[in-house]
Amino acid sequence: MSATQQVLVAGRPVLGNGRWPPAWRGHLRGSDLTWAIAFVVPYAAVFFAFAVYPIARGLWMGREPSLYAHVVSDPHYTRTVINTLLYVGLGVNVMMFLALLLSGFFMRRRRWIKALLVIYILPWALPAVPAFISFHWMLIGEQGLLDSILRELFGIDGPIWFNHRGLALASNIVAYIWKWMPLWTVIFLAGRMAIPVEIYEAADVDGATGTRRFVHVTFPLLANLYLVCTLLSTIWTLGDFNGAYFVSGGAPAMSTDVLATLGIRYAFDLGQPELGIAVMLSALPVLIPLVIVLMRRVQAMEVQL
Amino acid sequence: MSVAPSFGWPARWPRHRMRRILTEAASAVLGVVLLVWSLLPVYNMLLIALDPEGDNEFAGYIWPPDPSLESFWVVVSQGHWYLENFWSQFGNSLYLGVATAFLTMLIGSLASFTVEQMQLRKARMLTNAGLLTYVLPSSFLAIPFLSVAKSYGLSDNLWAVIAAQVMFATPFAILILQQ
């Protein structure tokens, strides 16, 4: 929390015009204080009633150690943890690396590339659930669009995607990458645009072009941004429910569930919310260090700027 | 694509020229790949929507033999038992969107005004704490949220959804308004 705070404080001018008169800053009195409190109360009320209380209640629901023993003894759980590791590990890293490379492609000054960027970010603009349902239909076996294309255009009999655990898991990962890669590409594009041209000119004089320019100039300058984005994406992917639920739906036989979908299954399909919470909370030992590292890194980035 | 001919005349063309053509060709190929990659699932949606209503929804063709807008008509005229309440559901979505946007702007602008202009330190701490909801898996929050909504008497109520949306959107609105 303090890290975020410092980030925001650091990014702020010391004395701005049009602010409240300086004499009152930090110690409001009388009616001003009343107004200030009245303005913050709606936000605080929503925050405590719909964020703090549900979180506390969730932690309270998952307080019994026996819940975790039960969850871990479920053979489903181990497989789900492996799936989650693959989903997050492969999904995030492949996505980030491709996004970094593609952001270089979109830096090219061609009009058709600018137009292509608009189409390329379309998946990000589309709502996630219909998009993932479309993936599900596209892969639903011989009648799906992908297998139809393989048959009609290339004469190949495509696999039945959701009958095979590896293929189903890969489908989920690909769909997730399809949905979120544009966001990270745009962020890396902004990062690349922020690099001063002089640095590239100097590198050009020194004879660094192509791959060497990328390895020795661009990547070191983007490294911190890349790390922050990877951490943030890892945290979000860990909690992602839509990809696994709407693309493969856990098929075949719930073997492609991730922690988020298994938790929801326990809570809503089996009516055991405590077990669902326990499944979710079992990711905390991974989640908390990630959040701490992320905050340190965000702070470092702000100081650097 | 046009990669092949450029291989043929390396002797006549200077190296940098050939390299430029190769780069252009490669970026054209990449462009086509990205176009297909981005649009295939979108095209699939269109394909299924244009398929006339019937038993064989996934008949395995790349383009429906007789595309029709019949499905859209069925939806807007509520012509299927599953779509009986389409317009009231549509109204719900509209209500949800408008209420969320209005409340987020109202609560967010009041709070950001206090934090930024009046420099209330404790309030800043509170709005920054709100950003922590971004690193929280929302699927985790969904489970206790249901029982919390029940205890507030909001089960089966659109306002439970509005409250959740406002809660997630407000810290971000405050962050943006502070810039």
Side-chain angles (χ1 to χ4, degrees), chain A residues 185-300:
Chain A
T185 310
V186 168
I187 288 176
F188 291 142
L189 195 58
R192 278 176 189 265
M193 282 173 171
I195 298 174
V197 188
E198 291 81 31
I199 293 179
Y200 284 124
E201 282 168 356
D204 217 24
V205 170
D206 291 340
T209 49
T211 323
R212 280 164 75 193
R213 196 173 79 165
F214 176 75
V215 172
H216 296 293
V217 183
T218 312
F219 191 71
L221 288 170
L222 288 180
N224 203 26
L225 179 68
Y226 187 81
L227 188 62
V228 165
C229 290
T230 305
L231 287 168
L232 196 58
S233 172
T234 305
I235 292 166
W236 285 347
T237 314
L238 205 56
D240 180 67
F241 164 80
N242 294 336
Y245 195 80
F246 291 106
V247 178
S248 79
M254 290 168 75
S255 68
T256 54
D257 269 326
V258 291
L259 285 177
T261 54
L262 187 67
I264 297 279
R265 261 189 224 290
Y266 266 122
F268 297 122
D269 294 354
L270 304 174
Q272 289 177 305
E274 283 82 8
L275 287 178
I277 288 285
V279 170
M280 301 287 191
L281 288 183
S282 66
L284 272 189
V286 180
L287 193 66
I288 288 172
L290 283 175
V291 171
I292 291 170
V293 176
L294 174 70
M295 285 182 164
R296 294 235 166 112
R297 281 283 139 187
V298 169
Q299 195 181 352

Side-chain angles (χ1 to χ4, degrees), chain B residues 84-104:
Chain B
E84 272 169 0
N85 303 314
F86 173 75
W87 285 110
S88 90
Q89 286 158 346
F90 191 88
N92 284 344
S93 295
L94 206 64
Y95 183 59
L96 181 70
V98 172
T100 305
F102 176 74
L103 284 176
T104 304

